[in-house]
Amino acid sequence: MTVRANSPRARYREQTRSEIKDAAVRQLAAGGIEGVALLRIAKEIGLSGPALYRYFASRDELLAELVLDAYEGAAAAVHAVDTGDGGRAALHALTYAYREWAVAQPHLYLLIQGTPVAGFTAPTETILKARSVLGPFLSVFAQGRPLVRVDPLVAQLRTWLREQPEVAVWVEQWTGQPGTGAVADVALTGAVMTWPQMHGTVSLEITGQFTGMGHDPATMLGIQTAILADTFQLP
């Protein structure tokens, strides 16, 4: 029998699923991915083991939802930024917002950007969720005029846009410009260059690699962002 979306049974199911995920996030924060155990979750929220499996068929299925939720949280953080007229100020605001989200919830950051879980395959929707995080950066770099030294990468990403229509559509949605035009080429190049720069600094900070080095990681991120802004001659 189909359960109506707004029926008491459906609401109870969603509430229970939410409680399971909340418990899993607490375990994730306490012990990392290896600390997430379905039977301990069931005990914590007052379910039997078999009952819990009616909500999540496996640990991987639960992890998959946590991955999607984490990307949604990261996207919400950057989407909340008031980018104003764009330019380098907007780029700084976006990178700092992402860092603040990661520092506040390192366990969720490491879930999506840390060491891959052996045998775990992320859901296909992960790509779309990750693009949602990166989308606002496309809007900023649409204003860019990259220096000549960036031309080889622009050319490579131009080819990617022509070969992958879904990527072109994504870029067009965020820039308001044709997905196979010069603006799209530049916007995608800037966003792609920002991604590893931002993650490199944030990942090292989250994992404690900067401890005792005598500097503020936020300052380093700001300098790296300024270099990117200069490279693309953002206003």
Side-chain angles (χ1 to χ4, degrees), residues 145-226:
R145 293 177 293 108
L147 300 178
V148 172
R149 63 172 178 261
V150 184
D151 284 353
L153 185 57
V154 174
Q156 290 175 5
L157 293 177
R158 179 183 301 121
T159 299
W160 187 33
L161 281 166
R162 274 65 175 172
E163 293 178 346
Q164 300 291 330
E166 72 279 7
V167 177
V169 169
W170 166 57
V171 175
E172 184 172 336
Q173 288 172 341
W174 281 98
T175 64
Q177 299 293 322
T180 54
V183 171
D185 301 341
V186 171
L188 184 59
T189 303
V192 167
M193 288 182 64
T194 300
W195 199 241
Q197 290 279 1
M198 182 170 63
H199 279 297
T201 299
V202 172
S203 292
L204 289 172
E205 179 180 8
I206 293 298
T207 56
Q209 301 301 311
F210 286 143
T211 302
M213 291 182 64
H215 74 288
D216 176 16
T219 301
M220 176 177 285
L221 181 61
I223 293 170
Q224 291 174 323
T225 303

Side-chain angles (χ1 to χ4, degrees), residues 29-70:
I33 294 175
E34 296 305 319
V36 178
L38 294 186
L39 292 181
R40 285 201 293 113
I41 292 172
K43 183 177 180 180
E44 178 180 334
I45 67 174
L47 287 176
S48 68
L52 186 143
Y53 283 99
R54 291 202 295 266
Y55 298 94
F56 291 96
S58 66
R59 179 173 175 269
D60 281 359
E61 184 177 303
L62 175 56
L63 287 176
E65 287 223 12
L66 296 184
V67 166
L68 296 178
D69 288 349

Side-chain angles (χ1 to χ4, degrees), residues 94-104 198 202 205 216-218 221:
L94 290 171
T95 56
Y96 282 135
Y98 187 83
R99 173 186 172 271
E100 288 174 1
W101 171 81
V103 169
M198 182 170 63
V202 172
E205 179 180 8
D216 176 16
L221 181 61

Side-chain angles (χ1 to χ4, degrees), residues 106-169:
H107 50 292
L108 295 180
Y109 175 82
L110 291 174
L111 176 65
I112 60 176
Q113 300 298 338
T115 304
V117 180
F120 173 71
T121 301
T124 55
E125 303 98 306
T126 300
I127 294 176
L128 297 178
K129 299 293 185 181
R131 287 177 183 170
S132 181
V133 177
L134 200 54
F137 293 88
L138 293 169
S139 301
V140 170
F141 283 105
Q143 300 175 298
R145 293 177 293 108
L147 300 178
V148 172
R149 63 172 178 261
V150 184
D151 284 353
L153 185 57
V154 174
Q156 290 175 5
L157 293 177
R158 179 183 301 121
T159 299
W160 187 33
L161 281 166
R162 274 65 175 172
E163 293 178 346
Q164 300 291 330
E166 72 279 7
V167 177
V169 169

Side-chain angles (χ1 to χ4, degrees), residues 145-147 149-150 193 226-234:
R145 293 177 293 108
L147 300 178
R149 63 172 178 261
V150 184
M193 288 182 64
I227 292 171
L228 282 166
D230 290 341
T231 300
F232 283 81
Q233 302 182 76
L234 294 179

